[in-house]
Amino acid sequence: MRILVTGAAGFIASHLCEKLVAFGHEVVGLDNFNDYYSPDLKEMNAKDLEAKGVFIFRVDLNDDLSKVFEKRYDYIYHLAAQPGISSDTTLEEYVINNIYATQNLLDAVLAYNPNLKSFVNIATSSVYGIEATVDETIPAQPVSFYGSTKLAAEQLVLGLQRLGKLKACSIRLYSVFGPRERPEKLYTKLIENLYKDKPFPLFEGSVKHERSFTYVGDIVDGLAAIISKEDLVDGEIINLGTDEVNTTQEGITAVEQIMNKTLIIDNKPPRKGDQQRTAAVIDKAKKLLNYEPKVTLKKGLEEQVRWYKEKFID
């Protein structure tokens, strides 16, 4: 199979590319290498992927995509997005990179690649709102620009599916962590600050937040399982995470134990748009994809600390 993965040089997508290559598929990546976080980290991921035979188009999804579609694809995994809930990111940036970019990609698919087996949209538990503890039948109630624009992107994809123009599904991910995690996210930032003895910014109340922290390897196993099941998942929204729930404090404590260091805390006011609790309901993923997350928080964090040490310390 020939598979296109957008956002390929990023955290989850780079792992997915490697998994698909390991299964013997021809994988083509796409990434705009923007400066939301250090392009050097994306270049590091890209170099590893290219060494494994993944060609990466360096193009923005809002630009002309005709060259990307000079070849036809069997599947597209759409992971590229404007992530996070940073107050430094404007609504316009979320709209451009999550809504307009998705629509431009969909237009290109309809124009150049109409016989696609499946368009796999990667969504987020943030669409559920403050409490992401429900199954896929519950209406979304996003409270952030990120969640709102990702929900809009999801509906652009599923709208075409409902019109019979595209086979597609949307996968809502829960609190993914592991090697290559973005530097502004919890665990990479936590590990870095512990290594460097730097104060860690902790938003008021966040230590009590509960999360379905899901190891990236489990996530990509679930995503890869969609191949050959496209008819089964067509039109479906599927939660992908772990049903194991931990508090942020439990995660901090685990990293402190792994690294045998104590975190210096820099207390900050509450952050607007933060979810209070996520608990992935994954019955549908288990049924349709035979999905079964295996990696515990502690084991996954050991892998993430090992990766960080290998890439940035040794």
Side-chain angles (χ1 to χ4, degrees):
M1 300 289 182
R2 182 181 294 123
I3 302 170
L4 176 66
V5 178
T6 72
F11 167 37
I12 302 170
S14 62
H15 284 279
L16 177 61
C17 287
E18 289 182 339
K19 172 67 69 173
L20 296 173
V21 167
F23 284 163
H25 301 297
E26 179 186 348
V27 180
V28 176
L30 181 154
D31 203 292
N32 68 355
F33 292 86
N34 69 18
D35 60 0
Y36 175 74
Y37 63 89
S38 171
D40 291 342
L41 299 181
K42 298 171 192 173
E43 293 289 355
M44 183 189 305
N45 293 341
K47 183 177 179 181
D48 290 341
L49 292 178
E50 287 164 349
K52 296 180 179 180
V54 178
F55 176 81
I56 300 178
F57 284 99
R58 293 168 179 261
V59 63
D60 192 293
L61 280 175
N62 285 294
D63 294 337
D64 179 13
L65 300 178
S66 57
K67 287 188 176 180
V68 176
F69 285 91
E70 286 180 349
K71 291 184 176 181
R72 301 296 178 260
Y73 303 99
D74 298 293
Y75 297 87
I76 293 175
Y77 285 86
H78 177 38
L79 289 89
Q82 179 66 53
I85 58 170
S86 170
S87 59
D88 295 331
T89 305
T90 66
L91 174 59
E92 182 181 19
E93 289 174 287
Y94 286 110
V95 169
I96 289 171
N97 292 316
N98 293 345
I99 299 177
Y100 290 167
T102 298
Q103 186 59 53
N104 197 48
L105 175 60
L106 291 170
D107 288 343
V109 171
L110 295 181
Y112 304 115
N113 207 141
N115 296 319
L116 192 70
K117 290 181 181 293
S118 186
F119 186 105
V120 183
N121 179 68
I122 305 305
T124 170
S125 65
S126 291
V127 304
Y128 290 118
I130 294 294
E131 299 277 339
T133 60
V134 296
D135 68 21
E136 299 87 346
T137 65
I138 302 301
Q141 302 181 64
V143 295
S144 64
F145 292 158
Y146 172 60
S148 297
T149 54
K150 287 293 287 180
L151 179 62
E154 177 180 87
Q155 288 304 307
L156 289 175
V157 174
L158 294 179
L160 289 178
Q161 188 277 335
R162 290 190 286 268
L163 289 171
K165 295 183 177 182
L166 187 72
K167 284 190 173 181
C169 60
S170 190
I171 314 298
R172 295 175 175 173
L173 306 186
Y174 282 72
S175 301
V176 188
F177 76 99
R180 302 179 194 159
E181 185 179 29
R182 299 195 316 269
E184 91 283 3
K185 291 195 70 181
L186 174 62
Y187 290 118
T188 299
K189 194 174 192 66
L190 179 59
I191 293 165
E192 177 186 14
N193 286 28
L194 275 168
Y195 262 120
K196 297 181 178 179
D197 294 314
K198 291 167 50 180
F200 180 79
L202 198 61
F203 298 99
E204 182 182 334
S206 62
V207 292
K208 297 180 180 179
H209 291 173
E210 296 180 339
R211 294 284 185 270
S212 286
F213 291 117
T214 311
Y215 187 64
V216 65
D218 286 331
I219 289 292
V220 299
D221 283 348
L223 295 177
I226 292 169
I227 294 175
S228 79
K229 296 185 177 72
E230 58 271 5
D231 290 335
L232 192 62
V233 302
D234 190 35
E236 298 287 353
I237 294 171
I238 303 172
N239 292 339
L240 209 61
T242 177
D243 44 17
E244 174 186 322
V245 175
N246 294 97
T247 65
T248 299
Q249 182 60 65
E250 287 173 328
I252 291 172
T253 300
V255 177
E256 289 179 322
Q257 291 172 347
I258 292 166
M259 297 178 62
N260 195 28
K261 299 191 74 172
T262 301
L263 188 65
I264 303 168
I265 301 296
D266 177 18
N267 291 304
K268 299 288 188 182
R271 183 169 60 171
K272 182 181 178 182
D274 254 342
Q275 290 179 298
Q276 302 297 311
R277 184 168 187 261
T278 70
V281 179
I282 54 175
D283 296 351
K284 183 186 281 190
K286 289 180 177 181
K287 179 181 178 181
L288 298 182
L289 302 175
N290 297 319
Y291 174 70
E292 196 65 54
K294 300 179 178 66
V295 181
T296 64
L297 178 61
K298 183 72 176 292
K299 178 62 177 175
L301 288 173
E302 288 172 352
E303 292 300 318
Q304 188 163 345
V305 169
R306 184 177 298 114
W307 163 80
Y308 186 89
K309 185 178 180 181
E310 175 187 325
K311 293 293 187 181
F312 302 105
I313 304 298
D314 292 347

